[in-house]
Amino acid sequence: PAPMPAPEPIEALRFVGTETCARCHAIEATAWRDSHHARAMQEARDDTVLGTAEATVSEGGVETRLSRRDGKHFVHATGPDGVSRDYEALYTFGVDPLQQLLLPLDRGRLQATTIAWDARQRVHRRRLVRSRSCKSCQQRHRLLVVTGHIRQRFDGRPAKRC
């Protein structure tokens, strides 16, 4: 058989915007706009950050300070290099029941804070990530804990499977 021709280059993928999709999917767009999904990840601004702008959360010897300067939100925390510094919160993640802030790391990665604003009890909470024994393999895994219920492993895989 003759070799297949090389595929033509594809234009870089990019987000076309909500309104572009809504032109053909009006019912879905309306339902989405009224849902928490529409606000699941937003730029961190005064009108999107739900928690207290100035707060210190301490638990288990770990202290995290939240602050606001020049219209921007910051988290003073220990980074992956073990050094404490201020990180500008770029995005919010979640709305209800919990909202975390997303902080920039190297190579364009974002890291969710280990504290979250509890929208129902109106308080900052820590200890979202815990080490628990896995029922499948009996090893300890770091798990994301949401309002007391294990939802997924910290690496993103479901908690019920290894």
Side-chain angles (χ1 to χ4, degrees), residues 105-116:
L105 294 182
D106 62 340
R107 298 185 313 245
R109 294 181 305 150
L110 296 173
Q111 175 65 48
T113 55
T114 57
I115 62 172

Side-chain angles (χ1 to χ4, degrees), residues 18-77:
T18 303
E19 295 310 314
T20 299
C21 297
R23 287 184 202 135
C24 298
H25 305 280
I27 294 170
E28 293 83 356
T30 299
W32 177 79
R33 277 189 199 101
D34 294 337
S35 74
H36 284 183
H37 296 283
R39 298 182 300 151
M41 186 173 169
Q42 303 177 88
E43 288 183 15
R45 301 182 313 262
D46 287 343
D47 63 329
T48 60
V49 175
L50 301 178
T52 308
E54 302 286 337
T56 300
V57 181
S58 298
E59 189 173 312
V62 177
E63 182 176 283
T64 304
R65 288 190 316 270
L66 306 172
S67 61
R68 185 179 171 283
R69 294 189 306 274
D70 302 321
K72 297 178 180 180
H73 293 264
F74 294 88
V75 178
H76 188 86

Side-chain angles (χ1 to χ4, degrees), residues 135-153:
K135 292 179 181 175
S136 299
C137 70
Q138 302 306 312
Q139 294 180 18
R140 292 190 70 77
H141 297 295
R142 292 181 69 193
L143 303 170
L144 179 64
V145 179
V146 180
T147 60
H149 301 284
I150 297 173
R151 298 300 172 108
Q152 66 186 37
R153 286 174 35 155

Side-chain angles (χ1 to χ4, degrees), residues 123-136:
V123 65
H124 287 284
R125 298 197 174 278
R126 180 176 290 288
R127 301 183 73 173
L128 295 176
V129 178
R130 295 185 183 155
S131 179
R132 293 274 176 95
S133 291
C134 177
K135 292 179 181 175
S136 299

